[in-house]
Amino acid sequence: MGKAEKGTPKYLANKMKAKGLQKLRWYCQMCEKQCRDENGFKCHTMSESHQRQLLLFADSPGKFLYSFSKEFSDGYMELLRRRFGTKRVNANKVYQEYISAKDHIHMNATRWLTLSDYVKWLGRSGQIIADETEKGWYVSYIDRSPDALERQSKMERKEKMEKDDEERMLAFVEKQIEKAKCTTNQESTECIEKFTELKRDESQPLKLDIKVVKNVHMENTSHKVALNTKHFKMDTTIKNNTIQNTKQKSKSDSSTTSALDEIMLLEEQAKERSNRKDYWLHEGIVVKFISKSMGEKYYKEKAVVQSVIDKYRAKIKFLESGEKLKVDQAHLETVIPALNKNVLVVNGGYRGFEGVLRELDEGNYCVSVEIATGPLQGRIVKNLKYEDISKLHS
């Protein structure tokens, strides 16, 4: 039976049914497909795409179970944080709002059997405050987000800086007071002097001590010679000081250049440490499927990443066949294009930058990339590993 034509009552009825929530027993979590009835679900389970997803699940069931549980927990906690904040609320009320979205993760796909088990786990892990009442479990969110912790640390640093400024001002004022006290004590001691009266014996005669200065011209010439020798000595000392200053400046310039190189090297190392992650998937890159779990048909076939799920998984589309899969990054590897082609740095210090492949060092498995976007446009980054870059899908 074919599909209903657009505009017909049957077409509109099908659209209205597809909008609302359907029965959970006819939903396939691996394929994220909702069937309307038992016959449709049976046809879906017999399809080739469903069988491929089951093969992937059988290859690593723990990873899929962990990813589904984490996605469910992240969505539930995000709704609790945004919708209710730190208020005390019924856990079932939050769950009903969470499952009202059509594309949510069902609890049947997680490692928790009931909502009570999930709430108890959240309470034991310290993410919420949970208490059980006659009406069920009540939860309240504990805000330990990086933004809240950063705000708290900023407030603590601000208070500490204000205290330090007050202490510095008090110390400065105390020093000024002590200095003023010392100056006043010195002035008082200098001013207090013992003066004696001038007394002269009338019996003694007055004497005048008159000296005649001779050879005034000779004394002036000797004084001029002494001044000239002083000026000559001062000129020589000034020259020596300037030479020493120039030497010190040259040394300081070389030390500053070396210090700048060291600072740049430290910044590069810090950038490498902060941006080096254990996940590398990005949207729009070309990857190669390297798993043999699905047979030789897809082995070493190239595909493009359409979307990234939970950092470690992605939805890919094969370039030749056009088929779509949801796979883990362990089944994929990066693709190195030809020279002068666009690439994306997927890991390391320049993670997320687009560039152009300029050089290829096959002996050391490294490449050189010229950054094409952002503030570092035009910079050539060398010695990037093969697994740190991948071809961009045009």
Side-chain angles (χ1 to χ4, degrees), residues 362-390:
E362 296 181 358
N364 296 321
Y365 303 101
C366 297
V367 295
S368 296
V369 176
E370 181 181 353
I371 303 298
T373 58
L376 303 178
Q377 185 176 2
R379 177 182 290 186
I380 296 178
V381 184
K382 298 181 179 180
N383 299 325
L384 286 175
K385 297 179 181 179
Y386 280 178
E387 58 267 20
D388 289 345
I389 68 163
S390 189

Side-chain angles (χ1 to χ4, degrees), residues 293-307:
S293 60
M294 298 175 59
E296 297 292 336
K297 181 180 178 181
Y298 301 102
Y299 182 60
K300 291 191 176 179
E301 288 290 326
K302 292 182 180 178
V304 60
V305 177
Q306 290 187 328
S307 62

